[in-house]
Amino acid sequence: VLSHERIPARGLPIAPLRSQGAICVHGVHNLPAYVEVQIPASGLSGRSKKWEKTAGQLVVEAAASDASLVLLGDSITEAWRGTGFGNKKEAFKEGPAALLREFSEYRPLALGIAGDQTSQVLWRLEHGGFPSAALPTYVAVLIGTNDIGAAVRNIGGGWS
């Protein structure tokens, strides 16, 4: 089921793509409703060479893309590619076929990297990690899980 409702984002209307049974959570308890995210000057801050290689591959794919649906995020999004840090993963092997089976009419492009936090996704967006030749009609963003884990680990210098 597609919703033709339009929502504002940075002044531009974006049509959300919603599937039957999707749940939107508003105001999750014990979590801040808004957090200022600092975009690192270098996306490689604290990132490995595998991350650099994977991010570079996504830039190439984004530049050549005519996708109508773009998925942005972390390992959960990368699983749709059947990979983890760009390497094929047995556990995710059904991901690409499932993505095409459900959304082939939108020519989907999954742009996820395992372990990414919001700041890395924002960095990738500012450094060629989003289709620019033909802007997609729909964008799904799933990010933040790793931000929560990092915040919890950093309270008082350890797990809290």
Side-chain angles (χ1 to χ4, degrees):
V1 175
L2 294 178
S3 169
H4 296 289
E5 163 193 7
R6 297 183 77 73
I7 56 174
R10 292 189 182 219
L12 300 172
I14 296 175
L17 181 64
R18 295 191 179 147
S19 62
Q20 207 166 27
I23 298 174
C24 295
V25 180
H26 298 282
V28 178
H29 295 286
N30 301 319
L31 295 176
Y34 173 81
V35 175
E36 184 67 32
V37 175
Q38 297 298 317
I39 302 172
S42 168
L44 306 180
S45 175
R47 291 289 168 197
S48 68
K49 291 292 182 185
K50 275 188 176 181
W51 185 91
E52 181 179 358
K53 181 181 175 185
T54 304
Q57 178 60 39
L58 296 183
V59 166
V60 170
E61 289 181 30
S65 175
D66 69 342
S68 181
L69 168 63
V70 172
L71 309 171
L72 294 169
D74 54 25
S75 60
I76 299 167
T77 303
E78 188 178 2
W80 289 107
R81 300 171 62 82
T83 63
F85 278 119
N87 298 316
K88 295 287 183 193
K89 297 289 183 186
E90 181 66 24
F92 308 141
K93 70 180 181 182
E94 300 298 326
L99 185 61
L100 287 176
R101 182 177 62 247
E102 298 299 323
F103 298 108
S104 63
E105 66 191 277
Y106 301 102
R107 301 173 315 283
L109 176 63
L111 300 172
I113 300 179
D116 262 9
Q117 295 177 8
T118 304
S119 59
Q120 281 87 35
V121 171
L122 292 172
W123 187 90
R124 288 193 286 125
L125 289 173
E126 291 188 350
H127 293 85
F130 192 79
S132 57
L135 293 177
T137 305
Y138 302 101
V139 177
V141 179
L142 178 61
I143 194 68
T145 300
N146 296 311
D147 296 85
I148 293 170
V152 171
R153 283 191 304 273
N154 292 330
I155 294 174
W159 288 98
S160 174

